[in-house]
Amino acid sequence: WTRRIYYRFAGAEDAHTARLETIGRLGDALTLTAGYSWKDFGDLEGGGEVGTQEKTGYDERDWDAKLEYDPGGGGRLVLAHQNVELDDAWRTHKTIYGIGWEGLTVGDELRRVLDQERELTYVQYRREARGGPVETLEAGVSYQRQAEDRERVRTRDRYDVQGFEDGTLGAFMHARSPSALGSLVYGVEYYRDDVDSFQRNLNPDGSVKSTAIQGPVGDAAAYDLLGVYLQDELRPAERVSVLVGGRYEFARADADAVEDPATGDRMSVSGDWDDVVGSARMLYALDAARTWTLFAGVSQGFRAPNLSDLTRLDTARTDEIETPSPGLDPEHFTAYEAGLKAAAADLSAQVAYYYTDIDGMIVRTPTGNEIDGNREVTKQNGGDGYVQGFEADGRWRVGAGVTAFGAFTWMYGEVETFPTSDPVLVTEYMDRLMPPTGRLGVRWARARRYWIEAACTMAGKADKLSTRDAADTSRIPPGGTPGYVVYDVRAGWKPLPDLALSLAVENVTDADYRIHGSGVNEPGRNVVLTADWVF
């Protein structure tokens, strides 16, 4: 038996994370892995100006177990279960506990708290038989249950609870076979979601005042997703590899209890969609050692409307409520990419450019109506658009145990949308467009026993805003989310072969900053202690 104890403390988050894990052999062919995690997050401390962000703490409890059976001969059978529970997670930017940093608006709700739970059980089989007609075979079945409850208090006498439960049954088969055309990868997968949802309006004493037709999504709903795919890897020349693939996708949605936004009556929503998409990718090694490799590719994408797109009845962004949107069409995408990879003894790096063409993107659209003081939005297929970007990252071993590393990403995109209730398409920036972001650092390590690292993360001002971004004033400050520079220092030590200790000082300058589109600021100056012991 091998046991592992992991503990982490983060000061600015007042966060305690612990995990106990054990791995043991039960005979010659059975292996058991089991673990339990405990997480306690206190109220998050922002930078020097913001300070404590009230009601941002929550608790989490997780456990998992996995039993592996290995009878030999290349086969393996796995039975596993995972369980995750989150308690009292506030959506603070909607409440009076939000912050007014950089001109943000503060919500008016007294309470908005969520509890979440997820359970996953699966059985998987894998077999490898080199030289046979099927070299690799993987198959499995799974069942996942997700549940969420939300409690909201808007005024002392306006109190409601809502939630949903989603049970997902899934199955897949994946295989690889040699052929005269190359190496074939093929498979099929199927998933079915069964969803129940509710909303109850309560009196101040907790008794039920009224029951709604649905919760955040349609009640008595189901969603089916089937995919069949085939990919072939060809080698037309010594340094050239080509991957060509295709996929058939079928989706179907049915919801029996959906509130009609026009009349308030019960209605049903259903639809089905299918498509065939393809992809092609080429890699070309510039030298025999494959130190430098060029790559390029094109791929199609298809996304059918989901239950949230079709039936959602819930608050969205600041002072918005989204109502059901039956009759949507799928989104279609075509993505292109090209780049260069390096893989040498002292250098690993990659640069890439990508461009994605968008057709019929599903976007939230104002209706011009108000519901209970919130602006009503619904979803429509907008128009054409694109997103493009550049990414680079790399690590260079300078020598004497010193490694320099860095990464940079730039993104830009526009899409046709409906910024007002008028049926007029307008080209705007993509929602929540990521600003230019980079990270630079250097790390020194000695004999895998000591290491120290200094790094800097930088982001430009996120001021390319859509109309909906500009109106989302509880999450995005007026004019956009400010840019930031954050410095971190970390060090580690292995006093024993089975014990690893680390100390980090994050956000050394105690800067106030947030990730663009987030509802809370990131931690201020943060001291993190970690211990990991295997015995």
Side-chain angles (χ1 to χ4, degrees):
W1 291 89
T2 300
R3 288 161 290 275
R4 179 190 180 208
I5 295 177
Y6 172 88
Y7 175 76
R8 180 180 187 270
F9 168 75
E13 304 164 72
D14 191 19
H16 303 265
T17 302
R19 178 170 174 81
L20 173 63
E21 183 177 276
T22 182
I23 303 175
R25 301 280 296 183
L26 304 176
D28 294 333
L30 283 176
T31 302
L32 174 66
T33 303
Y36 177 81
S37 297
W38 167 76
K39 302 175 183 179
D40 180 16
F41 297 92
D43 287 343
L44 186 62
E45 293 282 340
E49 177 187 339
V50 167
T52 302
Q53 300 176 78
E54 294 185 76
K55 305 296 184 182
T56 52
Y58 64 94
D59 296 329
E60 181 180 334
R61 304 289 183 269
D62 312 324
W63 69 271
D64 56 88
K66 180 170 66 174
L67 189 64
E68 299 178 76
Y69 176 59
D70 185 1
R76 187 180 66 163
L77 185 66
V78 177
L79 170 65
H81 180 82
Q82 302 170 0
N83 191 91
V84 178
E85 293 184 11
L86 275 73
D87 296 323
D88 294 337
W90 281 65
R91 190 176 175 185
T92 53
H93 72 95
K94 283 283 193 179
T95 73
I96 60 175
Y97 300 101
I99 61 174
W101 177 71
E102 295 288 335
L104 290 168
T105 58
V106 177
D108 57 5
E109 296 179 8
L110 304 180
R111 180 178 174 86
R112 181 183 283 240
V113 185
L114 295 96
D115 293 332
Q116 298 176 339
E117 183 180 1
R118 181 181 71 85
E119 296 177 289
L120 170 65
T121 303
Y122 65 86
V123 178
Q124 291 183 3
Y125 174 76
R126 178 182 175 89
R127 184 176 182 273
E128 294 187 9
R130 299 295 180 185
V134 179
E135 292 184 335
T136 303
L137 174 66
E138 293 180 82
V141 294
S142 63
Y143 180 77
Q144 179 170 258
R145 173 185 167 272
Q146 300 180 78
E148 178 181 282
D149 293 338
R150 188 205 71 189
E151 178 184 331
R152 178 175 61 166
V153 179
R154 288 182 281 181
T155 64
R156 297 299 179 187
D157 58 352
R158 300 180 68 193
Y159 176 28
D160 64 75
V161 293
Q162 71 168 32
F164 70 88
E165 184 172 319
D166 178 8
T168 305
L169 180 65
F172 77 93
M173 187 281 294
H174 169 93
R176 178 188 293 271
S177 296
S179 76
L181 299 176
S183 179
L184 295 176
V185 175
Y186 50 94
V188 59
E189 56 190 27
Y190 170 74
Y191 293 93
R192 177 182 174 86
D193 289 270
D194 287 297
V195 181
D196 294 314
S197 70
F198 71 91
Q199 177 169 326
R200 294 188 292 270
N201 299 311
L202 306 179
N203 294 308
D205 63 0
S207 60
V208 177
K209 180 189 300 183
S210 62
T211 301
I213 294 172
Q214 67 169 94
V217 295
D219 188 26
Y223 198 86
D224 297 276
L225 197 61
L226 171 68
V228 181
Y229 56 90
L230 172 67
Q231 177 182 284
D232 190 16
E233 182 176 356
L234 308 170
R235 291 193 175 274
E238 177 65 25
R239 298 183 185 179
V240 179
S241 177
V242 178
L243 284 81
V244 180
R247 180 182 179 94
Y248 169 75
E249 189 92 5
F250 172 82
R252 179 175 60 202
D254 292 288
D256 291 337
V258 180
E259 182 176 316
D260 188 324
T263 66
D265 296 333
R266 174 173 172 162
M267 67 175 183
S268 61
V269 173
S270 63
D272 60 77
W273 312 267
D274 69 332
D275 201 359
V276 176
V277 295
S279 65
R281 182 178 175 87
M282 183 189 73
L283 294 92
Y284 173 63
L286 297 178
D287 60 316
R290 299 183 181 275
T291 303
W292 300 92
T293 302
L294 289 170
F295 63 89
V298 58
S299 58
Q300 297 174 308
F302 159 80
R303 190 184 80 85
N306 57 35
L307 287 175
S308 180
D309 294 326
L310 298 165
T311 70
R312 181 172 176 176
L313 181 58
D314 196 7
T315 54
R317 294 196 179 191
T318 304
D319 299 327
E320 281 185 352
I321 183 168
E322 183 180 332
T323 56
S325 310
L328 294 172
D329 295 322
E331 301 172 330
H332 293 87
F333 307 89
T334 304
Y336 309 88
E337 65 171 345
L340 174 67
K341 290 184 178 181
D346 295 329
L347 175 68
S348 63
Q350 174 177 296
V351 293
Y353 169 78
Y354 61 87
Y355 182 96
T356 300
D357 185 69
I358 303 169
D359 180 17
M361 186 172 179
I362 297 173
V363 295
R364 289 189 178 119
T365 306
T367 66
N369 301 325
E370 280 198 7
I371 298 176
D372 204 13
N374 291 314
R375 300 185 303 273
E376 182 189 23
V377 295
T378 189
K379 284 182 175 174
Q380 295 188 47
N381 290 94
D384 298 335
Y386 71 93
V387 60
Q388 64 177 333
F390 171 82
E391 295 179 348
D393 66 83
R395 300 183 70 87
W396 176 36
R397 190 167 62 188
V398 181
V402 178
T403 301
F405 58 89
F408 175 78
T409 181
W410 170 83
M411 179 186 294
Y412 183 89
E414 295 180 338
V415 67
E416 294 178 329
T417 186
F418 299 95
T420 70
S421 57
D422 295 332
V424 178
L425 281 169
V426 176
T427 298
E428 293 194 345
Y429 294 120
M430 296 278 293
D431 285 350
R432 298 177 183 170
L433 195 61
M434 182 180 179
T437 303
R439 182 171 174 82
L440 294 173
V442 61
R443 180 185 178 98
W444 173 81
R446 181 177 180 182
R448 297 185 179 181
R449 193 175 180 192
Y450 308 95
W451 62 269
I452 186 169
E453 176 182 297
C456 171
T457 301
M458 302 156 286
K461 184 176 182 178
D463 56 1
K464 294 178 172 56
L465 307 179
S466 65
T467 298
R468 296 192 63 249
D469 284 342
D472 194 11
T473 54
S474 67
R475 285 188 281 201
I476 300 175
T481 305
Y484 57 86
V485 179
V486 175
Y487 302 94
D488 304 323
V489 179
R490 297 180 172 88
W493 174 40
K494 291 193 73 173
L496 299 171
D498 298 330
L499 177 63
L501 305 174
S502 67
L503 169 66
V505 181
E506 301 174 340
N507 193 359
V508 174
T509 60
D510 205 24
D512 285 295
Y513 74 105
R514 71 168 47 192
I515 306 302
H516 184 47
S518 175
V520 295
N521 277 27
E522 294 298 298
R525 186 180 297 111
N526 194 14
V527 177
V528 181
L529 301 170
T530 303
D532 194 348
W533 182 30
V534 179
F535 59 99

